[in-house]
């Protein structure tokens, strides 16, 4: 799924289907979970396998049982899942992904978490959005996964936003292409949670402004657009978005029209947000991440202010 590159030192919800209670728990025992992860690791041998591509990437030791308690169709090609993870030792940072272990499927999936860490802390839930692909874990999610299906998950990844209360306020520019929105949505939602806490209690981390640039083929493939616009409308002084479509063939709704630009995200749009206080997070197809990371470097943005992750 992913390949991690430049990091930011020190830094570095939608309602889907049925509701699960926090008291619910998976029937997978700790021993079963350990055996599942070991078996999948040994059998997962494809050249483009997630485990091989991310073998050098930092992972947490915890492999936790999880239960599917919600599912929804986010677009014609993307299905979202809500997972209950009861294990209190399981945690993640906004932007990270999980190894996804499925009983009877020998190949391990790798999917970015798109929910905020706060949802896990408060409800023991995480959310994923998985694009249809001819790959066993994705096929299982789209064709076989049902409510109460049991899996196991482990957190990994060096692409994340995890500010501490004493850190200086930073502006964020998030640049997403296609399903590359997933880790950036986690960061966006977490930023909104941090701002709520700061506004209500004057405690925690004081976030700067957040601007999301998000490109997809058409408006039906712009994932979580209602959630994104809800955050923009909730915090108009803090959060803004520019949604781009490259192959739109139908009329754009009046609700979306003010936020939509037809055509790709352009370098000039990004350049206007460069400052010493701004961090850039980029996730999308490799040509897109390569282009914007290089353009930012050419415009004298320090490498430590650029964090990107590729998906394919």
């Amino acid at each position: 799924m992913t390949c991690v590159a430049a990091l930011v030192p020190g830094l570095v919800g939608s309602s889907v289907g049925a509701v699960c209670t926090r008291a619910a728990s998976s029937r997978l025992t700790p021993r079963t979970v350990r055996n599942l992860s070991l078996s999948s690791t040994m059998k997962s041998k494809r050249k483009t396998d997630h485990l091989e591509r991310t073998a050098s990437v930092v992972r947490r030791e915890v492999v936790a049982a999880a239960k599917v308690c919600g599912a929804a169709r986010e677009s014609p090609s993307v299905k979202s899942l809500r997972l209950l993870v009861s294990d209190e030792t399981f945690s993640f940072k906004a932007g990270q992904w999980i190894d996804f272990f499925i009983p009877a499927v020998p190949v391990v999936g790798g999917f970015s978490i798109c929910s905020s860490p706060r949802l896990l802390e408060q409800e023991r839930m995480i959310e994923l959005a998985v694009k249809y692909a001819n790959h066993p874990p994705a096929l299982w999610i789209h064709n076989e996964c049902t409510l109460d299906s049991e899996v196991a998950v482990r957190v990994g990844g060096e692409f994340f936003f995890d500010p501490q209360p004493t850190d200086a306020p930073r502006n964020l520019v998030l640049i997403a292409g296609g399903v590359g929105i997933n880790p950036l949505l986690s960061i966006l939602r977490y930023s909104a949670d941090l701002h709520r806490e700061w506004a209500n209690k004057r405690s925690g981390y004081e976030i700067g402004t957040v601007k999301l640039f998000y490109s997809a083929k058409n408006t039906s493939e712009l994932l979580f657009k209602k959630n994104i616009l809800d955050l923009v409308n909730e915090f108009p002084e803090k959060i803004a978005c520019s949604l781009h479509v490259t192959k739109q063939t139908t009329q754009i709704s009046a609700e979306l029209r003010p936020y939509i630009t037809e055509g790709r995200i352009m370098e000039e749009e990004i350049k206007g947000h460069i400052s010493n206080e701004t961090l850039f997070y980029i996730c999308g197809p490799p040509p897109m991440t390569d282009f914007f990371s290089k353009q930012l470097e050419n415009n004298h943005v320090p490498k430590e202010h650029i964090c990107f992750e590729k998906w394919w």
Side-chain angles (χ1 to χ4, degrees), residues 189-204:
R189 286 169 158 171
Y190 186 49
S191 299
D193 288 333
L194 290 173
H195 181 58
R196 288 189 192 97
E197 292 165 7
W198 178 260
N200 293 335
K201 303 176 183 177
R202 283 296 186 267
S203 64

Side-chain angles (χ1 to χ4, degrees), residues 7 78 80 91 119 132 155 179 226 233 258 260 283 291 305 309:
L7 307 179
V78 175
S80 62
S91 65
L119 181 65
Y132 182 87
V155 170
V179 292
K226 182 180 184 305
N233 292 325
I260 295 288
C283 187
F291 174 79
H305 286 190
E309 188 163 68

Side-chain angles (χ1 to χ4, degrees), residues 4 22 58 64 74 76 83 88 102 110 120 127 132 134 141 149 163 174-175 178 180 216 227 293 295 312:
V4 176
R22 184 169 176 176
V58 175
E74 294 296 335
L83 303 177
E88 297 283 348
I102 308 164
L120 179 66
E127 294 178 355
Y132 182 87
N134 189 27
I141 286 172
S149 289
L174 314 176
I175 307 172
N227 303 117
S293 59
Q295 291 302 316
W312 52 85

Side-chain angles (χ1 to χ4, degrees), residues 21-42:
T21 65
R22 184 169 176 176
S25 64
S26 172
R27 290 185 297 274
L28 289 176
T29 66
R31 181 174 181 179
T32 301
V33 169
R34 287 195 299 272
N35 291 341
L36 173 60
S37 65
L38 178 60
S39 173
S40 297
T41 298
M42 292 190 296

